[in-house]
């Protein structure tokens, strides 16, 4: 098994990407193809003497995607960019998955147009694991599709259900539709129609859930359009940052508070770890004919290592075959009714 990693993508590339790849190769024994400007990646790899004994290779890519590049420009004019070449490796079968912490839109477009969608899937979706009081919930779509149709939300639900079943080992995930009220009549036309479709599936659909339910773990799979999903994601990141800032400000120079903080430090550290996106590695782009993991732009080496782990687990679980099967099954069920 080999995984293609965009060595030039991310705020801390190539340093953090190469380091994370080395950690993954050493810990998991997985083959890594680092894609990027040859001399730049080689120089970074030489900083890790252990890499010489690991299954890591470099594939040259002469172009780098800029954050100001449009996805269309990257696909049409930067065919030798690290994002594009990494996806080409998956298409040719040289790698089973691609990982990039670079330009999200470009990474998504490169995977979609190079690998294509799974048969039966109309719109791929970015799926993000979010920490909750009961563990984690998978939320999708997180930004791939701003405008959706009810059938797209249905397919997001099916793909999320498959991911949670086979990677998180939850045999009967609770699927919730994000809306402005629990009642079936609440929401806009999109959610109302999607609600009807979801009730006709074999999914464990628990109905509408509200924004306050997301972090409470009321559902294992949470479905919404990409506009709402991205707002939820950025809001959660902001809340986590605000909590940390408020704690630091209130501890200040007060000795009693400092003492209390030291006593509570293990609990605060556990909370920080649980809220840290690096622990979850990256967000799979579900619904494409291959495995594509989109990592946070500020990914550290630890985050890249975990993204590689997610890619490995997705490949071993044969997620795409299950998605195709369940999409077809639920679509036929809907037609029958």
């Amino acid at each position: 098994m080999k995984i293609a990693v965009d060595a030039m993508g991310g705020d801390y590339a190539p340093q953090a990407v190469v380091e994370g790849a080395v950690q993954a190769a050493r810990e998991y024994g997985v083959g890594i193809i680092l894609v990027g400007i040859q001399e730049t990646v080689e120089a970074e790899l030489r900083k890790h003497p252990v890499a010489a004994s690991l299954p890591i290779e470099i594939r040259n890519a002469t172009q780098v995607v800029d954050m100001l590049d449009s996805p269309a420009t990257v696909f049409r004019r930067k065919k030798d960019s690290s994002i594009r070449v990494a996806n080409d490796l998956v298409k040719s079968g040289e790698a089973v998955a691609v990982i990039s912490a670079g330009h999200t839109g470009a990474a998504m477009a490169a995977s979609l147009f190079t690998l294509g969608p799974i048969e039966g899937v109309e719109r791929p979706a970015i799926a993000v694991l979010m920490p909750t009081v009961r563990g984690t919930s998978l939320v999708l779509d997180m930004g791939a599709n701003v405008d959706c149709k009810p059938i797209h939300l249905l397919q997001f639900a099916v793909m999320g259900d498959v991911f949670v079943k086979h990677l998180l080992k939850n045999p009967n995930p609770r699927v919730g539709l994000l809306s402005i009220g629990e009642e079936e009549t609440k929401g806009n036309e999109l959610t109302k129609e999607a609600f009807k479709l979801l009730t006709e599936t074999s999914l464990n659909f628990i109905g509408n859930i509200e924004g306050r339910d997301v972090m409470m773990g009321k559902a294992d799979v949470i479905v919404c359009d990409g506009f709402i999903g991205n707002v939820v994601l950025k809001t959660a990141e902001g809340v986590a940052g605000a909590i940390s800032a408020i704690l630091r400000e209130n501890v200040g120079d007060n000795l009693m508070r400092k003492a209390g903080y030291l006593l509570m430090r293990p609990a605060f550290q556990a909370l920080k770890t649980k809220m840290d996106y690096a622990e979850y590695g990256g967000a799979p782009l579900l619904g494409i004919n291959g495995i594509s993991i989109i990592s946070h732009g500020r990914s550290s080496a630890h985050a890249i290592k975990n993204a590689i782990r997610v890619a490995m687990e997705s490949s071993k679980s044969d997620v795409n075959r299950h998605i195709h099967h369940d999409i077809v099954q639920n679509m036929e069920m809907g037609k029958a009714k």
Side-chain angles (χ1 to χ4, degrees):
M1 179 189 295
K2 292 183 179 180
I3 295 174
V5 181
D6 173 12
M8 312 308 293
D11 295 352
Y12 308 121
Q15 295 87 350
V17 179
V18 171
E19 183 181 347
V22 170
Q23 290 177 7
R26 182 169 52 191
E27 187 170 334
Y28 308 133
V30 63
I32 304 290
I33 305 176
L34 288 168
V35 184
I37 298 172
Q38 184 97 19
E39 55 269 27
T40 301
V41 180
E42 284 179 346
E44 197 59 42
L45 202 55
R46 283 196 293 269
K47 297 178 182 178
H48 305 274
V50 70
S53 61
L54 297 174
I56 298 176
E57 58 186 282
I58 300 172
R59 190 63 54 91
N60 188 43
T62 61
Q63 295 174 303
V64 176
V65 173
D66 187 274
M67 292 305 291
L68 297 178
D69 288 334
S70 72
T73 297
V74 172
F75 189 75
R76 294 171 185 165
R77 300 180 185 175
K78 290 194 171 182
K79 296 183 178 181
D80 202 42
S81 65
S82 53
I83 287 179
R84 180 69 184 272
V85 173
N87 276 278
D88 286 339
L89 291 173
V90 177
K91 184 176 182 179
S92 68
E94 292 184 69
V96 299
V98 56
I99 294 169
S100 179
H103 189 311
T104 298
M108 184 183 70
S111 292
L112 176 58
F113 293 117
T114 301
L115 306 175
I118 294 173
E119 183 181 356
V121 174
E122 293 191 14
R123 297 274 189 92
I126 297 175
V128 173
L129 281 169
M130 293 189 66
T132 74
V133 296
R134 299 179 64 174
T136 56
S137 292
L138 188 74
V139 186
L140 69 169
D141 176 32
M142 281 296 205
N145 307 279
V146 175
D147 297 307
C148 293
K149 296 178 181 178
I151 189 65
H152 300 149
L153 297 192
L154 165 62
Q155 293 193 349
F156 297 166
V158 172
M159 293 190 291
D161 178 76
V162 168
F163 187 92
V164 172
K165 278 181 178 176
H166 295 279
L167 271 82
L168 303 187
K169 309 303 179 184
N170 181 339
N172 191 32
R174 298 160 299 156
V175 178
L177 178 63
L178 190 58
S179 188
I180 59 171
E182 295 183 355
E183 299 85 356
E184 180 179 350
T185 56
K186 290 290 183 69
N188 54 22
E189 290 305 312
L190 173 64
T191 57
K192 289 177 185 177
E193 290 301 314
F195 189 104
K196 294 176 184 177
L197 292 178
L198 287 165
T199 58
E200 298 174 352
T201 68
S202 59
L203 301 171
N204 179 19
F205 180 52
I206 62 172
N208 289 338
I209 67 167
E210 299 181 69
R212 63 187 176 192
D213 300 320
V214 173
M215 306 299 286
M216 297 306 292
K218 188 172 182 178
D220 303 301
V221 178
I222 300 171
V223 180
C224 57
D225 65 61
F227 182 89
I228 297 298
N230 199 260
V231 171
V232 169
L233 176 63
K234 299 297 172 59
T235 300
E237 289 180 349
V239 168
I243 290 174
S244 178
I246 290 170
L247 284 173
R248 287 196 301 270
E249 182 180 342
N250 279 276
V251 169
D253 296 324
N254 187 295
L255 291 178
M256 290 294 290
R257 289 180 180 178
K258 282 187 175 180
Y261 173 79
L262 290 174
L263 291 172
M264 291 293 293
R265 191 170 184 178
F268 291 143
Q269 187 59 48
L271 175 63
K272 181 181 179 181
T273 299
K274 189 170 185 177
M275 298 294 289
D276 188 0
Y277 62 83
E279 296 298 323
Y280 303 94
L285 180 63
L286 297 180
I288 60 165
N289 196 22
I291 298 168
S292 178
I293 308 296
I294 299 175
S295 294
H296 200 292
R298 298 195 300 273
S299 286
S300 61
H302 185 61
I304 296 297
K305 184 195 78 169
N306 281 329
I308 293 170
R309 172 183 53 77
V310 173
M312 290 174 56
E313 292 171 351
S314 296
S315 178
K316 290 177 180 178
S317 300
D318 205 5
V319 167
N320 287 344
R321 181 176 64 83
H322 292 295
I323 285 176
H324 175 253
H325 174 272
D326 286 15
I327 287 286
V328 171
Q329 183 183 60
N330 281 283
M331 294 295 284
E332 290 178 349
M333 185 178 297
K335 290 178 182 178
K337 291 184 179 183

